[in-house]
Amino acid sequence: MHPLQCVLQAQRWGPLASVSWLLFRTCRAQSSVHGTTYPGPGRQQENGVQKDFSSRLAAGPTFQHFLRSALDPQEKPDVEDPPPYLTVDELSGRQRKVYLETYGCQMNVNDTEIAWSVLQKSGYLRTRNLQEADVILLVTCSIREKAEQTIWNRLHQLKALKTKRLRSRVPLRIGILGCMAERLKEEILNREKMVDILAGPDAYRDLPRLLAVAESGQQAANVLLSLDETYADVMPVQTSPSATSAFVSIMRGCDNMCSYCIVPFTRGRERSRPVASILEEVRKLSEQGLKEVTLLGQNVNSFRDSSEVQFNNAVSTNLSRGFSTNYKPKQGGLRFAYLLDHVSRVDPEMRIRFTSPHPKDFPDEVLQLIHERDNICKQIHLPAQSGSSRVLEAMRRGYSREAYVELVHHIRESIPGVSLSSDFIAGFCGETEEDHLQTVSLLREVQYNMGFLFAYSMRQKTRAYHRLKDDVPEEVKLRRLEELITVFREEATKANMASVGCTQLVLVEGHSKRSATDLCGRNDGNLKVIFPNVEMEDVSNSGVRVRAQPGDYVLVKITSTSSQTLKGHVLCRTTLKDSSAYC
Ligand code: 5AD
Ligand code: SF4
């Protein structure tokens, strides 16, 4: 028998129920859980006794169970009904301490909090001290080879911790969560025998069960991707009570299939969270006093809530001019402009940002809204990836350099003073020196305020892996990357210089890391602003002198800049509505 035995199980009930293939890896030739033989589908046994069909049916969920869940999918018990091979007690955390470590993008930071929310409800405790952990979970990234290498190295360190563990303590369990679990699946379990559990990005609800299985010394995995999982009902736990800002996940997955990108394979198909549940989360965050919300997703502006039939009558929005998609046009649903409009109305003192968008989904209604609404930050991430139309075509980005530049002009006309950022990849398959120079010239032409630049890293499964040749030598990729970074910095410094002498609205985050006498916050464009911690006037209480606290809005006059930071002196404490900060 193959050591990997698949057991088919309904993961959760209800109209959106998905069915998951759960992989149990056993040390023995026969699949077993908790010392009890776990039979394959169709040959069910319990305590060695074959039960007849009608008695098994009587013990299963009733028709009412399905109806109840169908009527109210939000109402789920904290500890789900245990599968037949586990007791409620085994499924609970029993005060075990979990140490979570996050790698990669902002989505993973959010996923970490979702995973923690699930485990907390199940009776686990969280620790920030690796030494006292009973469970160590790494939330991983696969986007580039280097990201995965970091995880392998970390696993080797953790191996030592596991081996040295005192016998008097419960055995240490180690889990790999997120994209790397999804990409490599059982390869991780085979390569690193000390990994106990694997959970892909859509399997975090299953963590208590996976850990319960691991308790018995077996490896457990759930790497099923879902078509509908958005964790809409799992409120991520705010880890820092003093935090001024939070991320709110609005959609997951990606349908774009850019030829270099592993994300559609690790995070699955694009799906949006219902608007109502997003608004509820934003309202709660506003009540907690948070001052900034960043809407999060792989393609936030492709948002499309089709969760209710009547949403499909909504007026459809267009793609940006000159942009196309790799997939069949989608119709209906509540779109990003609708969401942004409603989210920004929740609290006029709450700043709204969003990341990461795709340039194809910037219709005029989105741009107008950003322009008109005071609390939507005038900051747009516009990932270009390359400045060469030839390379963009090979990347299957769905636009040419010309269409992209036209969009940049249109955005700048629609939202005066907008700050732009971008992602670029150096050394993609077939990129010539001439292509590279076109990227350099795009950086000069657009003059971004922020940039994220990477050397191309070939990923298995992607279209580029199957159809193109990774033919730019490593040293050339790195040299081109260096050149892009240098040009980006020169241009960003010039762009930021334009703010010297201006008064900007800054949301205070706390003390500056570099100096105890300075405070640090962010301007509307999301750039860091440093200023001395001094007393100032409060616009709402004239005559009262105050010191800025995290979560306050202050006006800062900018006196100097670099490519990444602005410095200035603080003028007064204000509110978002009262500020007329832009020069
Ligand atoms: N190699 C290098 N960079 C990549 N990115 C995505 N896939 C790859 C890859 N295979 C970059 C893109 C994307 C950002 C999140 O990561 O620029 O926008
Ligand atoms: Fe990857 Fe392209 Fe989707 Fe972004 S849009 S996650 S780069 S496939």
Side-chain angles (χ1 to χ4, degrees):
M1 181 193 281
H2 192 275
L4 286 169
Q5 180 169 352
C6 295
V7 180
L8 188 67
Q9 175 190 305
Q11 197 179 6
R12 60 195 168 94
W13 310 117
L16 303 181
S18 57
V19 175
S20 70
W21 282 99
L22 309 171
L23 305 177
F24 292 153
R25 188 171 204 282
T26 60
C27 309
R28 280 159 271 166
Q30 195 177 27
S31 173
S32 102
V33 177
H34 282 259
T36 314
T37 305
Y38 190 75
R43 248 191 72 236
Q44 217 161 23
Q45 283 178 330
E46 203 175 74
N47 298 327
V49 180
Q50 178 85 39
K51 285 200 164 184
D52 69 300
F53 179 72
S54 53
S55 67
R56 274 190 283 130
L57 197 64
T62 61
F63 184 54
Q64 271 68 24
H65 180 112
F66 288 93
L67 282 183
R68 202 173 52 236
S69 307
L71 286 173
D72 190 356
Q74 304 286 344
E75 236 177 58
K76 293 201 180 77
D78 282 356
V79 177
E80 299 228 346
D81 290 344
Y85 48 88
L86 289 172
T87 64
V88 171
D89 187 49
E90 284 166 335
L91 204 58
S92 80
R94 287 171 284 178
Q95 312 270 303
R96 300 268 202 275
K97 291 191 176 135
V98 184
Y99 181 89
L100 286 144
E101 205 164 85
T102 315
Y103 295 83
C105 66
Q106 209 39 254
M107 273 312 269
N108 274 5
V109 177
N110 200 65
D111 278 15
T112 305
E113 299 316 321
I114 289 171
W116 169 232
S117 183
V118 169
L119 289 172
Q120 189 184 34
K121 278 195 185 138
S122 201
Y124 284 87
L125 302 175
R126 188 159 183 182
T127 177
R128 309 265 166 192
N129 178 352
L130 190 67
Q131 300 303 324
E132 65 174 35
D134 301 312
V135 177
I136 299 174
L137 301 177
L138 309 183
V139 184
T140 62
C141 170
S142 280
I143 199 134
R144 285 168 286 274
E145 176 63 35
K146 217 171 128 199
E148 286 193 356
Q149 197 46 55
T150 312
I151 307 289
W152 290 120
N153 296 344
R154 184 63 173 147
L155 279 176
H156 293 147
Q157 291 169 359
L158 296 180
K159 195 175 197 162
L161 211 64
K162 198 168 184 176
T163 321
K164 278 197 248 141
R165 181 105 167 162
L166 294 175
R167 279 174 173 264
S168 54
R169 300 179 68 188
V170 292
L172 178 64
R173 302 293 173 213
I174 295 176
I176 298 290
L177 273 49
C179 290
M180 207 170 148
E182 195 62 55
R183 193 180 88 78
L184 295 170
K185 302 191 171 67
E186 64 268 30
E187 191 185 325
I188 300 181
L189 301 182
N190 290 331
R191 245 176 93 171
E192 292 300 336
K193 301 277 186 250
M194 32 66 97
V195 170
D196 302 286
I197 71 154
L198 284 186
D202 289 343
Y204 302 140
R205 286 181 201 272
D206 201 22
L207 281 171
R209 192 194 59 81
L210 295 173
L211 283 168
V213 172
E215 276 281 303
S216 65
Q218 296 168 84
Q219 293 177 308
N222 182 348
V223 288
L224 183 92
L225 285 174
S226 158
L227 290 177
D228 56 50
E229 179 63 276
T230 59
Y231 299 108
D233 57 324
V234 182
M235 272 281 271
V237 185
Q238 282 303 123
T239 37
S240 150
S242 68
T244 54
S245 33
F247 289 87
V248 172
S249 167
I250 66 163
M251 49 89 67
R252 297 176 74 85
C254 177
D255 284 351
N256 287 330
M257 292 284 181
C258 301
S259 62
Y260 51 82
C261 190
I262 190 71
V263 167
F265 303 92
T266 58
R267 287 191 165 266
R269 298 297 301 269
E270 190 175 295
R271 65 219 101 120
S272 297
R273 180 178 167 185
V275 169
S277 99
I278 298 171
L279 291 176
E280 191 192 324
E281 185 172 345
V282 174
R283 267 184 224 114
K284 280 193 187 146
L285 293 170
S286 157
E287 280 158 22
Q288 286 169 21
L290 270 87
K291 290 295 178 58
E292 185 179 78
V293 151
T294 304
L295 306 177
L296 205 60
Q298 242 75 47
N299 280 284
V300 266
N301 55 340
S302 311
F303 181 87
R304 187 185 295 272
D305 173 10
S306 309
S307 60
E308 296 189 28
V309 192
Q310 68 271 23
F311 296 168
N312 292 327
N313 302 329
V315 192
S316 60
T317 50
N318 301 320
L319 291 177
S320 313
R321 244 193 324 275
F323 287 71
S324 64
T325 59
N326 290 328
Y327 51 79
K328 221 169 67 206
K330 300 175 188 175
Q331 296 297 327
L334 301 178
R335 301 303 317 273
F336 187 61
Y338 178 94
L339 178 73
L340 202 52
D341 178 20
H342 284 72
V343 166
S344 63
R345 285 174 196 270
V346 168
D347 178 354
E349 287 300 309
M350 190 183 237
R351 269 183 173 172
I352 312 298
R353 301 185 190 279
F354 54 88
T355 197
S356 220
H358 191 286
K360 72 180 161 50
D361 280 310
F362 276 114
D364 286 345
E365 37 287 43
V366 171
L367 300 179
Q368 262 162 31
L369 196 66
I370 299 174
H371 172 52
E372 284 164 13
R373 207 53 61 80
D374 286 340
N375 64 336
I376 304 180
C377 291
K378 281 53 191 159
Q379 173 223 346
I380 294 185
H381 187 58
L382 211 57
Q385 312 297 359
S386 170
S388 150
S389 293
R390 212 182 59 81
V391 174
L392 286 169
E393 200 179 331
M395 289 177 163
R396 290 173 55 100
R397 288 290 290 174
Y399 53 86
S400 62
R401 176 197 174 103
E402 292 67 35
Y404 181 89
V405 170
E406 196 190 318
L407 178 65
V408 168
H409 290 310
H410 183 52
I411 290 177
R412 286 201 161 133
E413 277 159 21
S414 310
I415 313 169
V418 66
S419 117
L420 294 180
S421 56
S422 188
D423 293 346
F424 283 97
I425 297 176
F428 184 61
C429 308
E431 185 190 78
T432 62
E433 214 50 37
E434 170 56 26
D435 294 321
H436 167 63
L437 290 176
Q438 295 223 13
T439 302
V440 171
S441 95
L442 186 66
L443 282 168
R444 295 241 184 256
E445 188 171 347
V446 178
Q447 204 174 67
Y448 298 95
N449 300 80
M450 273 193 240
F452 304 88
L453 307 133
F454 313 98
Y456 175 60
S457 165
M458 175 69 101
R459 310 311 285 136
Q460 272 178 23
K461 283 197 183 168
T462 58
R463 198 178 161 93
Y465 175 80
H466 291 297
R467 310 238 175 139
L468 304 173
K469 232 175 132 202
D470 186 12
D471 53 1
V472 178
E474 210 49 38
E475 63 279 10
V476 176
K477 283 182 189 168
L478 292 179
R479 194 255 304 153
R480 289 181 188 167
L481 177 64
E482 287 288 312
E483 284 174 15
L484 296 185
I485 292 173
T486 307
V487 174
F488 157 72
R489 286 211 176 121
E490 284 171 13
E491 295 302 317
T493 309
K494 281 190 221 161
N496 295 341
M497 281 288 279
S499 4
V500 174
C502 292
T503 299
Q504 296 196 342
L505 182 70
V506 173
L507 177 59
V508 180
E509 287 179 348
H511 282 281
S512 155
K513 281 194 190 118
R514 297 232 175 117
S515 144
T517 57
D518 285 339
L519 290 176
C520 155
R522 300 222 169 229
N523 70 2
D524 192 89
N526 213 16
L527 274 179
K528 208 177 246 185
V529 182
I530 312 282
F531 54 95
N533 181 5
V534 293
E535 280 196 342
M536 73 197 95
E537 202 176 315
D538 183 8
V539 168
S540 322
N541 291 301
S542 63
V544 177
R545 310 242 348 133
V546 292
R547 273 181 194 268
Q549 302 296 323
D552 283 347
Y553 287 108
V554 293
L555 290 183
V556 176
K557 184 152 186 143
I558 306 300
T559 50
S560 67
T561 66
S562 69
S563 66
Q564 304 197 41
T565 324
L566 309 181
K567 286 189 176 168
H569 57 259
V570 69
L571 300 177
C572 60
R573 185 162 80 177
T574 185
T575 62
L576 200 154
K577 266 205 133 345
D578 284 343
S579 65
S580 48
Y582 309 99
C583 66

